[in-house]
Amino acid sequence: MEPTALPLAARDYLDPLAAEMAAFEAIARKADLSVPMPAQVSRYWQLRDLVAHLGGIHRWAVENIRTGKRARQVPKPDDDADLADWYRAGADLLLDELARTDPDAPCWNFSTVPRAAGFWFRRQFHETLIHGRDADLALGELRPVPQLLAADGVDEVLRVMLAVGHRWDGKPVTTLTGPVSVELSDTGHRWVLTPSGNRVPAVSGPRAAAVDEPVAVVRGPAEQVLLLLWQRLPFADGTHLVSGDTDLVQRLLKSQITP
């Protein structure tokens, strides 16, 4: 049986996005916002900084969608703002904007994928999902990620983020010595990364054919692979997912392929 096609239709992200927003808002209202973030998220942030960041990113995305052009500034809350209320207001602005937006409308994005508004339906869902799990990591109880949505997140990292990985910290992506296969044991998706001679590897998938003698294989449940790619699962805790040239995979992840 063929794995589910990825990405999902743009409007299929709306209900999961609303659910992730509600869960994040609940954390912002109930948790101690002075709790420090784990090192793999930020060595400098408290939970309050994460809430302010995500609320600002929602508003930034709204401006991108409204104008079709890149918004220059990410809004920040006032010093005396109630952060949970400020977050909720930004979430509602984004949901309202997406609900009335044609996903095919021309719109800037930071990747090499088609410049259409549908990009932001997917991107804001995964932004909220990952930062929701960041909040979970800070509080010590990680909520599960549904398999298909986790698989879609892996696809976004490999086919959207990796293409511009050099932008996030200014350093080049690690050069591959041969094919690297990324395989999801629960959904059946597979991507193959191959040396391209360019600044980033070529990526096929999410239904790529198996390759002979890959130099490394990343294989496991979609949720674990997603967290590993985002470096939310420390590499030392994720080595069971990697076979072959583990040093190459570790260098690739350290190339800052996600923002």
Side-chain angles (χ1 to χ4, degrees):
M1 184 175 178
E2 281 287 308
T4 302
L6 300 174
L8 307 179
R11 296 200 179 280
D12 288 348
Y13 295 103
L14 291 179
D15 285 346
L17 172 59
E20 288 290 337
M21 286 171 161
F24 191 86
E25 178 194 358
I27 291 171
R29 293 197 183 281
K30 297 176 183 177
D32 178 357
L33 297 184
S34 68
V35 170
M37 300 305 301
Q40 65 263 40
V41 178
S42 173
R43 297 181 183 276
Y44 310 104
W45 278 6
Q46 297 177 337
L47 184 54
R48 69 176 67 256
D49 299 297
L50 183 70
V51 176
H53 168 76
L54 188 55
I57 289 294
H58 289 337
R59 289 166 169 83
W60 178 76
V62 167
E63 187 65 16
N64 290 326
I65 297 163
R66 281 178 179 168
T67 66
K69 300 177 181 179
R70 180 182 181 181
R72 296 296 175 181
Q73 299 294 327
V74 175
K76 297 180 180 180
D78 294 334
D79 291 341
D80 60 350
D82 180 296
L83 285 179
D85 287 348
W86 192 79
Y87 173 75
R88 183 68 254 173
D92 288 341
L93 283 172
L94 178 60
L95 288 173
D96 289 347
E97 191 66 29
L98 292 174
R100 60 174 169 260
T101 294
D102 177 0
D104 294 326
C107 186
W108 172 86
N109 68 63
F110 54 73
S111 187
T112 59
V113 297
R115 293 198 161 184
F119 171 92
W120 294 103
F121 289 69
R122 186 190 205 192
R123 176 82 288 276
Q124 283 299 289
F125 168 70
H126 287 297
E127 181 85 6
T128 310
L129 184 150
I130 288 295
H131 285 324
R133 299 317 177 274
D134 289 342
D136 292 348
L137 288 170
L139 299 174
E141 186 173 349
L142 191 65
R143 288 169 290 137
V145 181
Q147 290 179 355
L148 182 59
L149 296 174
D152 187 72
V154 172
D155 186 67
E156 190 200 36
V157 170
L158 297 178
R159 295 204 294 149
V160 178
M161 296 293 186
L162 180 57
V164 289
H166 65 284
R167 292 185 63 246
W168 308 124
D169 65 357
K171 298 177 182 178
V173 172
T174 292
T175 300
L176 302 185
T177 56
V180 173
S181 185
V182 179
E183 304 170 2
L184 304 185
S185 56
D186 48 0
T187 67
H189 294 94
R190 179 191 290 113
W191 299 260
V192 176
L193 286 57
T194 54
S196 67
N198 296 319
R199 58 191 177 187
V200 295
V203 181
S204 60
R207 297 170 172 175
V211 293
D212 294 332
E213 300 183 2
V215 297
V217 176
V218 179
R219 178 175 173 78
E223 177 182 345
Q224 290 190 38
V225 173
L226 176 66
L227 295 176
L228 182 71
L229 293 179
W230 274 92
Q231 299 186 76
R232 269 45 177 191
L233 176 64
F235 192 80
D237 297 337
T239 52
H240 64 287
L241 302 172
V242 183
S243 59
D245 191 342
T246 56
D247 288 341
L248 175 65
V249 174
Q250 186 172 23
R251 291 197 306 274
L252 178 64
L253 296 179
K254 286 185 176 179
S255 296
Q256 199 71 22
I257 62 176
T258 57

